[in-house]
Amino acid sequence: MRDFRALLAEDRVVVFDGAMGTMLYSKGVFINRCYDELNLKEPDLVREVHAAYIRAGAEVLETNTFGATRPHLEGYGLGEQVKVINRRAAEIAREAAGEERYVAGAVGPLGIRLEPYGPTSEAEAEAFFVEAIEGLLEGGVDCFVLETFSDLREIQQALKAVRSRTDLPVFAQMTIQDDGKTSYGTDPEDAARMLDRWGADVIGLNCSVGPAIILEAIEKVAQVTDKKLSALPNAGMPREIHGRKMYMSSPDYMAKYTKRLIQAGVKFVGGCCGTTPDHIRQIADAARALSPRRQAPAITVQERGTRPLVEPVPLAERSRFGAKLAAGTFVTSVEIVPPKGCDPKVMLEGVRRIRDAGVDAINVPDGPRAQSRMGAMAASLLIEREGIEAVVHYTCRDRNLLGMQSDLLGAAALGIRNLLLVTGDPPKMGPYPQATAVFDIDSIGLSNMVHRLNHGLDLGGNPIGQPTAFCFGVGVNPAALDLAHELDRFAWKVEAGAQYAITQPVFDAEQLKRFLAQVAHFDIPIIAGIWPLASYRNAEFMSNEVPGVVIPPSVLARMQEAEAKGRAAEEGVAIAREMLDEVRGLVQGVQVSAPLGKIPLALAVFGNA
């Protein structure tokens, strides 16, 4: 068998195979199964798919390992079989390919988010990729295809993993959306520049969209790299027909675009989702019939490096709340929940009362305890019309990565300036446990996103023009059961650019003092959360059913005794005022909650009835 690099040196078009998953599904393998495990459980079925693509004219077979990395396999209880699954997949493809065709080790994204938008470090990601790559090497692959990546940092770790184990050729393929960019907002030509710099042997695009959008992107990529190009599009965009995803691009249509892709400079063609041996047969016919009429023009790659961060708006100029934080002035706020319906009248009456009491800002939770209420962003805009600033709580629970970025850009345009970034309570806590949660990222990743927006860059590192001017903080829990983990997360939030922190409601001053001593080196304003308990029942509920809240037995006993005397609300305010007096000199502000919507109780903590 020839070395694959010899094939790279030839000036001809090479045909890859088509979709593996589409074919396995058509053979009756349901989508809830682990397709990678079929290499062990039903190798003949996988081999049949390879053989069908060989008969159609494919010269390169991809292994059935798109999801065969530990994070994916652990979801099926197969985390310890990463190497054996990858090795067996390569062996099956090698057996089918014989000596006349090549085997490419397929490696897909991990399916988890990398820092700064997720908990997985780059080193951990590289280790996950190494594990799969070692298995593919043991099985005898001729090259590697890193495919369907949206995050440049993730594909960089996959490239590093390959290079740490072998010098076999590597295809690096990104995937784009119908706007021609990755889901992280990266232009294909910018991605190509980086992949070229990192040493990919072939640069390409695959999946997500049909051949028309892939062609437009390839024409841009061809202008910025002299590396060979690959294009493996889907058979168009899928449509749902009677509950099934159907790909509508015909083999003839794919063949027509294959010719155009070749004319644009592509040397490796094939198909992704929805393509079948019929598609590959016509793609192969097009490749044989057409010699490229021109070489794609190439220029010397100029490394542009990381886009420079724009100088952010000074904290003191972002909002009145931010100005007080920047000046070291003690800030006050009251937390009220948005209305359950669409009528804000009662909420706004309370807002005016809080404003007239001289409080600095109103904190607006975003679906606290997974309750369905008016959106925090809309409620905050209504509040700010009354002449007092809002601090918008913004959660990761209900929105995907792109939706969050869109929301934040819109909020900036509407004049929202103060944010508290939180991960969000899971839906099962609320009255709609059947609702789904997104959690694309957590509050650490969201902090990184807002920090970038404040520096004029979107989540893909692309300029947005005028930067946002958010004064953003994060939550922290001094009473966390695993305080070491909480402190680690707090450190990451501060590293991500958080400008202040608000604690969970604190009922133990000594506990807060110990916590403040442990975070003093971060030099970030801490705002203490204070909750005036409305009743003994409220105290019991907070203690037992609200995550992150710890109420000492002595406080519960005081509330129980006061309840018996009919003075529970007064006692709750007294406890909160005692807490405020104790912590005033230790923190830079307080957020006082209005329990059960009772604003007079919150104002009474400040001494205003």
Side-chain angles (χ1 to χ4, degrees), residues 166-508:
T166 181
D167 61 355
L168 290 178
V170 183
F171 288 67
Q173 297 181 161
M174 304 295 289
T175 188
I176 57 176
Q177 306 300 308
D178 55 9
D179 64 355
K181 300 181 180 183
T182 73
S183 59
Y184 281 73
T186 305
D187 293 318
E189 55 267 46
D190 286 345
R193 289 186 179 96
M194 299 308 293
L195 295 173
D196 195 320
R197 176 198 174 196
W198 294 332
D201 296 282
V202 180
I203 295 170
L205 299 167
N206 78 289
C207 200
S208 285
V209 292
I213 296 173
I214 291 284
L215 174 60
E216 291 178 9
I218 281 291
E219 288 172 338
K220 297 174 183 177
V221 169
Q223 303 299 317
V224 300
T225 179
D226 57 3
K227 293 293 179 67
K228 286 195 171 182
L229 305 179
S230 61
L232 286 74
N234 282 356
M237 299 291 284
R239 299 180 187 176
E240 188 161 327
I241 300 176
H242 301 303
R244 292 184 60 182
K245 297 291 186 181
M246 304 294 289
Y247 291 84
M248 309 307 292
S249 293
S250 68
D252 180 65
Y253 177 80
M254 294 286 286
K256 288 179 181 177
Y257 266 92
T258 295
K259 294 178 181 180
R260 297 173 186 175
L261 287 165
I262 293 170
Q263 290 170 340
V266 170
K267 294 295 185 181
F268 296 89
V269 295
C272 202
C273 302
T275 57
T276 66
D278 289 336
H279 291 86
I280 297 305
R281 184 173 295 106
Q282 293 210 34
I283 287 172
D285 290 342
R288 282 193 296 267
L290 181 65
S291 295
R293 291 195 288 269
R294 65 176 176 87
Q295 178 68 28
I299 62 174
T300 302
V301 176
Q302 299 292 329
E303 171 53 37
R304 303 195 312 179
T306 304
R307 294 186 187 275
L309 296 175
V310 175
E311 190 66 27
V313 175
L315 179 60
E317 298 176 16
R318 298 181 192 179
S319 65
R320 296 192 300 275
F321 191 76
K324 284 199 167 188
L325 290 175
T329 305
F330 193 85
V331 296
T332 58
S333 65
V334 171
E335 180 183 90
I336 62 174
V337 295
K340 289 185 176 180
C342 60
D343 185 356
K345 180 181 178 180
V346 174
M347 178 188 76
L348 295 179
E349 288 174 355
V351 166
R352 288 187 284 270
R353 191 167 183 176
I354 295 168
R355 177 201 63 197
D356 294 343
V359 175
D360 293 315
I362 293 177
N363 286 70
V364 187
D366 187 9
R369 302 201 339 271
Q371 298 282 332
S372 177
R373 292 179 175 270
M374 181 184 291
M377 203 78 76
S380 296
L381 287 169
L382 293 171
I383 288 169
E384 295 208 337
R385 291 178 184 174
E386 300 297 323
I388 184 171
E389 287 192 340
V391 177
V392 185
H393 295 205
Y394 192 77
T395 76
C396 306
R397 177 189 58 229
D398 307 315
R399 309 159 182 93
N400 67 17
L401 200 62
L402 293 177
M404 285 188 278
Q405 178 171 279
S406 298
D407 277 355
L408 292 168
L409 291 174
L414 290 169
I416 293 292
R417 292 292 178 265
N418 305 310
L419 300 175
L420 182 72
L421 309 180
V422 293
T423 300
D425 297 321
K428 64 182 180 180
M429 289 183 57
Y432 307 103
Q434 73 277 11
T436 57
V438 181
F439 292 126
D440 258 6
I441 54 177
D442 62 7
S443 56
I444 299 169
L446 184 55
S447 296
N448 277 289
M449 180 193 293
V450 176
H451 179 73
R452 288 196 178 201
L453 292 174
N454 276 350
H455 285 79
L457 299 178
D458 68 9
L459 59 89
N462 307 295
I464 61 171
Q466 179 180 343
T468 59
F470 291 120
C471 169
F472 73 94
V474 293
V476 67
N477 184 12
L481 293 177
D482 187 348
L483 188 58
H485 179 63
E486 182 72 7
L487 290 170
D488 284 342
R489 286 184 56 81
F490 183 58
W492 295 330
K493 293 174 185 179
V494 174
E495 183 182 346
Q499 290 142 351
Y500 66 93
I502 298 180
T503 73
Q504 287 274 42
V506 177
F507 295 91
D508 185 339

Side-chain angles (χ1 to χ4, degrees), residues 5 143-146 159 162-163 168-172 199-203:
R5 289 198 179 276
C143 63
F144 285 89
V145 175
L146 313 178
L159 266 167
V162 175
R163 293 302 185 215
L168 290 178
V170 183
F171 288 67
D201 296 282
V202 180
I203 295 170

